[in-house]
Amino acid sequence: MISVKEIKKNHIFNNKSLREIGQDLGVSKQYLSFICAQKKNQPELINRQLLIEFERDKAKYPIHEKIRIKRKLLNYTQADVANKVGTFASVVTRIEAGQMPTSIFVQRLADYLEV
């Protein structure tokens, strides 16, 4: 069985949904969500470890992926970061998808998330 750290890494770094990961493993997305959130699996520790890995390797990611990964590692919603930089969640969605590479909000998000 795959570790909780590998599940979260696939979910956050590779942008795979829990449904996709669950299909690969033959389990439901609800089961994966439950397992990843269990206290005994130390979700806070895993997130810190993944954040350290990201900070070490972030140069290899384009800016829109850096924004998406860092936001997820910090457990912020798109609406959370949108409110902080003065835009809408739909703009953050498009930025994270790489659809708005020249938007002024790309730099604002990058500065806010320190990427």
Side-chain angles (χ1 to χ4, degrees):
M1 186 73 179
I2 193 168
S3 72
V4 172
K5 184 175 180 180
E6 287 301 314
I7 292 168
K8 290 192 73 114
K9 193 171 186 176
N10 266 324
H11 180 60
I12 295 172
F13 286 74
N14 300 330
N15 205 24
K16 288 183 82 175
S17 70
L18 290 179
R19 183 186 57 77
E20 292 171 319
I21 297 168
Q23 283 177 336
D24 293 344
L25 298 174
V27 297
S28 70
K29 68 178 183 177
Q30 291 86 356
Y31 174 75
L32 291 179
S33 181
F34 172 75
I35 291 299
C36 289
Q38 279 189 319
K39 286 270 190 218
K40 72 177 183 178
N41 290 326
Q42 302 174 325
E44 298 86 12
L45 177 63
I46 290 172
N47 259 18
R48 278 195 305 262
Q49 291 171 345
L50 291 176
L51 190 55
I52 291 167
E53 280 184 39
F54 170 71
E55 291 297 333
R56 184 186 64 226
D57 299 333
K58 71 182 177 183
K60 69 181 184 181
Y61 296 101
I63 190 70
H64 69 279
E65 287 186 18
K66 288 179 190 178
I67 290 169
R68 176 185 50 79
I69 293 169
K70 183 83 180 261
R71 177 187 61 77
K72 285 184 171 186
L73 287 171
L74 295 173
N75 291 319
Y76 294 159
T77 65
Q78 290 177 333
D80 292 337
V81 295
N83 287 336
K84 295 292 185 183
V85 300
T87 190
F88 301 100
S90 60
V91 173
V92 176
T93 300
R94 293 179 63 204
I95 288 170
E96 289 182 357
Q99 297 171 349
M100 295 179 70
T102 60
S103 171
I104 189 170
F105 294 109
V106 172
Q107 191 57 50
R108 287 185 185 178
L109 286 166
D111 291 344
Y112 174 70
L113 295 170
E114 299 176 352
V115 292

